[in-house]
Amino acid sequence: MPRNCAETTVPGARPQEELTGAYVIDPVHSTVGFSVRHAMVTRVRGVFTAFEGFLRLDALRPARSEAHVSVQTGSLATGLRARDSHITGPDFLDSATFPLMVFRSTAVAPSGGNGFRMTGNLTIKDVELPVHVDLAYGGTARDADGQWRVGFEGSATLRRSDWGLDWNVPLQTGGVLLSDKVRLELGVSALQLGPEAL
């Protein structure tokens, strides 16, 4: 995917053409999170702590790059156990019935500078809908274990009601407890696999 992004690489980083290959997302150094407006006055944030993903990057022909990510819906953490139980329960994600949400890319296009727009299908509760993820290439480096890493930051704005996550409560002062719009926030650190994975 990366192309013409040499200014974002760290000293000693590899040439752009060598970024082409297969990568596995490192969940220890990556984040899958979200934020949603609460009570019309602030935002609540959360992360999913269990996920895995695979990238296939083509540095010279970014449109041929692809991604697949699956997230365990029951791994949600917002900092409040009661809220986590509510969101992973039947009113929202219903993780007992639908333990995974899955994203599969269908297209990648440069969007200027170090940016890309990845289009794909997001499946939540067996509802599959197209989404657009805006990505920024963060660079590449060999880590302390001698493995090559590549990094991206990404975001997307969704309407949760499109996937049937439409629970809400009206406020006495007007409006509703939760916004329908949810912002997904991604931080990806991925490790390159060997040639046998291509």
Side-chain angles (χ1 to χ4, degrees), residues 10-27:
V10 298
R14 65 205 313 193
Q16 292 294 306
E17 61 272 13
E18 294 184 15
L19 292 175
T20 296
Y23 294 76
V24 62
I25 292 175
D26 175 8

Side-chain angles (χ1 to χ4, degrees), residues 38-59:
H38 178 262
M40 310 294 290
V41 297
T42 189
R43 284 187 171 273
V44 169
R45 289 175 167 78
V47 296
F48 293 93
T49 60
F51 55 88
E52 59 185 13
F54 177 82
L55 310 177
R56 193 180 300 277
L57 304 183
D58 191 323

Side-chain angles (χ1 to χ4, degrees), residues 47-105:
V47 296
F48 293 93
T49 60
F51 55 88
E52 59 185 13
F54 177 82
L55 310 177
R56 193 180 300 277
L57 304 183
D58 191 323
L60 300 181
R61 293 163 294 184
R64 296 191 179 187
S65 298
E66 56 185 291
H68 174 256
V69 180
S70 62
V71 178
Q72 295 183 28
T73 56
S75 70
L76 175 73
T78 66
L80 183 63
R81 185 171 298 178
R83 181 168 56 208
D84 297 347
S85 296
H86 186 202
I87 298 174
T88 59
D91 284 337
F92 289 98
L93 294 172
D94 194 3
S95 60
T97 306
F98 306 98
L100 293 178
M101 57 182 178
V102 176
F103 173 81
R104 297 178 185 271
S105 67

Side-chain angles (χ1 to χ4, degrees), residues 143-161:
D143 66 16
D145 295 321
Q147 292 182 283
W148 282 108
R149 287 181 179 268
V150 65
F152 297 92
E153 298 285 334
S155 65
T157 300
L158 315 176
R159 290 188 178 276
R160 58 188 178 88
S161 60

Side-chain angles (χ1 to χ4, degrees), residues 36-45 171 173-179:
V36 61
R37 194 161 180 81
H38 178 262
M40 310 294 290
V41 297
T42 189
R43 284 187 171 273
V44 169
R45 289 175 167 78
L171 299 176
T173 52
V176 290
L177 184 64
L178 295 175
S179 170

